[in-house]
Amino acid sequence: MILAFFEKTAGLRLNLNYVRPGGVAADLPDGWPDDVLVICDTIYARTFEYDELLTASRSFVIAWSASRPRRRGGVALGVTGPLLRSTGVAWDLRRAMPYLAYDQVEFDVIVGTYGDNFDRYAIRLNEIRESIRIVRQCIEKMPSATTAVRIQSHAAAEGAHRRVDEH
């Protein structure tokens, strides 16, 4: 579903030549919010299927409940992301030093308790759900379609005019 959306948006399923300096190659296709919401709904529902399938499996839980790093050890080693959060440290770059629009959306920082493989699995599964929550908020906050999908720097525009004038 995601690759089909990429193809609809950028013309290719892989090797997207869509994001450009100053913007994107073209505006999003008509109906894109509905397409994205269908993807979100489908993935969200499947996270519960995966959770039921894997979490209910005693052998999965036993196999993945090993390798427990300590909280201080993870920080000292420079561990980040879900691995660090699995040890109970609620540090997320998107919250600590927001970039893009992360300061304009609400999301929970998912943390574990034991720091084992099972905690890391559970964090990643729940972060998929949080990502869907973020995507939904971005759709709601997205401005109406405009014709400007790219900006051109003044220097680049001047250089283009100069080259045209020289020929």
Side-chain angles (χ1 to χ4, degrees):
M1 292 177 76
I2 293 170
L3 293 177
F5 181 75
F6 286 168
E7 185 174 12
K8 183 178 181 178
T9 303
L12 298 168
R13 295 173 73 84
L14 301 171
N15 301 325
L16 302 176
N17 185 12
Y18 185 70
V19 177
R20 308 281 171 83
V24 293
D27 204 351
L28 291 165
D30 291 338
W32 71 267
D34 294 332
D35 294 341
V36 173
L37 290 173
V38 167
I39 293 169
C40 288
D41 291 344
T42 303
I43 292 174
Y44 188 78
R46 288 184 182 165
T47 64
F48 291 98
E49 292 175 24
Y50 303 148
D51 194 12
E52 185 178 331
L53 174 71
L54 297 172
T55 308
S57 168
R58 180 170 160 76
S59 58
F60 178 83
V61 173
I62 290 170
W64 280 67
S65 297
S67 172
R68 296 185 175 173
R70 282 194 227 124
R71 186 177 302 194
R72 246 183 301 169
V75 173
L77 292 172
V79 173
T80 62
L83 182 61
L84 179 62
R85 290 191 293 279
S86 74
T87 65
V89 177
W91 195 89
D92 189 318
L93 181 66
R94 300 170 301 175
R95 178 70 48 82
M97 300 165 54
Y99 55 96
L100 299 175
Y102 284 110
D103 59 342
Q104 299 170 39
V105 294
E106 293 180 22
F107 63 94
D108 295 326
V109 176
I110 309 297
V111 296
T113 304
Y114 302 106
D116 61 4
N117 291 326
F118 188 80
D119 267 355
R120 293 191 286 276
Y121 147 77
I123 286 170
R124 286 185 171 92
L125 187 65
N126 284 296
E127 284 189 346
I128 292 170
R129 295 174 183 146
E130 284 302 310
S131 294
I132 291 168
R133 182 177 168 201
I134 291 169
V135 168
R136 289 179 186 281
Q137 292 174 68
C138 290
I139 290 172
E140 289 174 11
K141 295 174 184 284
M142 186 74 70
S144 300
T146 64
T147 55
V149 294
R150 260 190 317 201
I151 60 167
Q152 213 174 35
S153 73
H154 182 69
E158 284 295 314
H161 292 300
R162 205 169 316 122
R163 285 189 298 276
V164 170
D165 293 340
E166 290 172 0
H167 296 301

